Amino acid sequence: KIIFLNKYFMCGISGFIGKTDINQGVIDRTLKIMKNRGPDVQDFKNFKTQELNIYLLFSRLSIIDLSKNSDQPMTKSGNTIIFNGEIYNYVEIRKDLESKGEKFYSKGDAEVALSAYNFYGKKCFEKFNGIWSIAIWDNNDKKILLSNDRLSEKPLFYLKNSNGVYFGSETNFIRSL
């Protein structure tokens, strides 16, 4: 299978944090739109707290690890990530975490990014060298963390209104939600 990278941009992320529910039809429509960012796998997860609904949507372009172990949304130690981009120094970060006892189930940088967050918290971003837009649902602290690289090479757009906060690697994902 040949993939022309000028057609696909590298994965897509999108989501919503708010008090309202998003129906399955809207989720399916948004994932279909997101397929242009990654044709290999589209999936989502929904989390609920007493006050909020959290939706994480992902469309995958398989590059580093082609196995299902790198599919997203990815959950580890109770926290869930959707990740677009590339952590250039993920091999070094992985080795550091392995020396501290961390086990890995994929060969990809998304799992390394999530494990780094689980181990270092927000300070993990100080260790990353690369380009990324990331959403992490921290189930332990019941909070969501949104981050993109220092130069915003991997965009992360957001819209806050009375319903909540919508975000995505493309504005049309936000409009769809």
Side-chain angles (χ1 to χ4, degrees):
K1 177 175 167 182
I2 297 174
I3 296 175
F4 295 99
L5 291 179
N6 62 343
K7 182 177 179 185
Y8 300 108
F9 299 98
M10 243 183 153
C11 302
I13 69 170
S14 188
F16 171 74
I17 307 105
K19 294 185 179 186
T20 59
D21 283 317
I22 297 178
N23 73 49
Q24 188 65 45
V26 171
I27 298 290
D28 292 343
R29 179 185 69 219
T30 305
L31 288 171
K32 185 176 179 182
I33 293 168
M34 291 174 68
K35 194 170 185 172
N36 77 310
R37 295 289 295 239
D40 298 320
V41 177
Q42 291 78 43
D43 202 0
F44 79 99
K45 284 197 176 178
N46 174 224
F47 303 93
K48 294 180 184 281
T49 68
Q50 289 180 348
E51 299 174 6
L52 296 175
N53 290 306
I54 298 92
Y55 292 86
L56 300 178
L57 290 76
F58 183 75
S59 186
R60 180 175 182 206
L61 174 61
S62 303
I63 296 176
I64 294 176
D65 181 350
L66 304 181
S67 76
K68 291 188 174 286
N69 292 341
S70 283
D71 286 352
Q72 297 174 48
M74 177 186 289
T75 300
K76 190 171 189 180
S77 299
N79 297 327
T80 302
I81 191 170
I82 51 176
F83 168 81
N84 171 38
E86 184 177 0
I87 306 297
Y88 303 141
N89 61 333
Y90 81 97
V91 173
E92 293 84 1
I93 295 170
R94 180 184 177 121
K95 286 179 183 175
D96 173 58
L97 291 168
E98 285 174 330
S99 75
K100 294 171 172 41
E102 185 71 18
K103 302 277 189 245
F104 288 90
Y105 305 96
S106 76
K107 295 183 180 3
D109 51 356
E111 184 182 7
V112 172
L114 181 56
S115 292
Y117 174 79
N118 289 341
F119 194 84
Y120 296 112
K122 290 188 286 188
K123 291 188 181 263
C124 70
F125 298 106
E126 297 170 12
K127 298 183 176 298
F128 295 170
N129 177 11
I131 54 176
W132 69 84
S133 58
I134 294 174
I136 297 174
W137 168 244
D138 186 323
N139 193 49
N140 302 313
D141 292 336
K142 303 296 186 225
K143 65 181 179 183
I144 191 153
L145 182 134
L146 301 174
S147 171
N148 66 334
D149 60 88
R150 293 160 190 88
L151 299 176
S152 295
E153 284 200 45
K154 290 295 170 190
L156 185 60
F157 301 100
Y158 68 94
L159 168 71
K160 183 177 180 181
N161 67 19
S162 60
N163 292 327
V165 177
Y166 301 84
F167 65 91
S169 47
E170 291 185 17
T171 58
N172 58 336
F173 304 163
I174 295 169
R175 280 191 295 273
S176 177
L177 288 173

